[in-house]
Amino acid sequence: MGTISLEKRDSLYWLGRYTERVYTTLKAFYDYYDQMIDREADAYKNLCQRLDIPNIYESEEDFIHRFLFDSNDPNSIFTSLNRAYDNGILLRNEITSDSLAYLQMALDIYGASSHSDVPTMALLPVQDYLLAFWACMNDNVWDQRARSIIKCGRYVERLDLYFRLSFPTKDIERTLCKMTPRLKQ
């Protein structure tokens, strides 16, 4: 095992952060989407506030489309998935083509979902592909230090989002327990 350059460390860390951002933000989006449908049309404003993103959206429909799919919105989930994929491309040798393929499939589904009549349903496989990416990456990344950097990024992002979105304390504690051993490597 050789040294890992600073550029590569940065890409590994942000690969972890962006993939977790997509996964957890989609999960939170579905909760707020249910609220918008059931009782509170402007629940998205609360999500924007919790995520500390500017509410640039003109309506509930505008939020749904732009927050999910707008490649020009730096806070959109689509933008985060593109950034994860870009980091994955740079790290193809470290994470393997098999792992990268799951990011590509998630991106393909994501792009096709923007034209769906029910994009929220069409996006469900994206979370499955991200879980498959994590499993494949865990199996295929032989360099323990590289794997730890990716997982540190993942857990830092998860903690950030869990705090912002007021996840239960037990979920935060579980994430801290997963992250702590990674910091020692």
Side-chain angles (χ1 to χ4, degrees):
M1 286 190 235
T3 60
I4 301 174
S5 71
L6 288 176
E7 293 84 10
K8 205 154 277 203
R9 287 174 191 240
D10 188 61
S11 293
L12 290 163
Y13 177 77
W14 282 102
L15 174 62
R17 286 204 68 165
Y18 284 128
T19 52
E20 183 64 32
R21 185 174 302 169
V22 171
Y23 184 82
T24 300
T25 307
L26 265 176
K27 203 160 107 173
F29 173 82
Y30 290 132
D31 291 340
Y32 280 89
Y33 183 74
D34 287 345
Q35 290 176 29
M36 288 185 280
I37 289 173
D38 291 342
R39 52 191 183 273
E40 189 180 341
D42 61 352
Y44 73 91
K45 293 176 184 176
N46 186 26
L47 181 58
C48 289
Q49 182 179 16
R50 286 178 173 268
L51 293 175
D52 195 27
I53 62 173
N55 181 5
I56 58 171
Y57 311 103
E58 298 172 8
S59 66
E60 170 188 0
E61 292 80 19
D62 185 48
F63 169 76
I64 292 168
H65 182 72
R66 290 177 58 195
F67 184 68
L68 289 177
F69 302 109
D70 188 353
S71 61
N72 295 316
D73 181 351
N75 298 302
S76 77
I77 298 173
F78 185 64
T79 298
S80 293
L81 186 55
N82 273 309
R83 288 176 179 160
Y85 182 74
D86 290 346
N87 279 291
I89 289 287
L90 294 173
L91 298 165
R92 180 189 305 257
N93 291 335
E94 284 75 20
I95 66 170
T96 73
S97 293
D98 291 342
S99 300
L100 183 62
Y102 286 109
L103 289 179
Q104 178 67 59
M105 288 187 282
L107 199 54
D108 291 346
I109 291 289
Y110 214 100
S113 298
S114 67
H115 306 296
S116 172
D117 291 337
V118 187
T120 52
M121 292 299 291
L123 285 174
L124 289 174
V126 170
Q127 290 178 297
D128 294 336
Y129 284 132
L130 289 174
L131 290 172
F133 162 76
W134 283 109
C136 191
M137 188 271 316
N138 205 39
D139 254 10
N140 292 328
V141 176
W142 286 93
D143 187 332
Q144 187 173 347
R145 293 168 306 150
R147 202 170 46 247
S148 288
I149 294 168
I150 295 170
K151 288 183 178 185
C152 274
R154 180 183 187 189
Y155 297 136
V156 164
E157 187 68 25
R158 185 181 293 176
L159 284 170
D160 180 38
L161 290 169
Y162 279 14
F163 279 119
R164 289 173 188 255
L165 298 167
S166 300
F167 270 65
T169 303
K170 67 178 175 57
D171 292 341
I172 293 168
E173 290 171 347
R174 187 176 308 129
T175 301
L176 277 170
C177 287
K178 289 180 179 182
M179 187 172 80
T180 302
R182 304 286 165 211
L183 298 174
K184 297 176 183 174
Q185 295 178 358

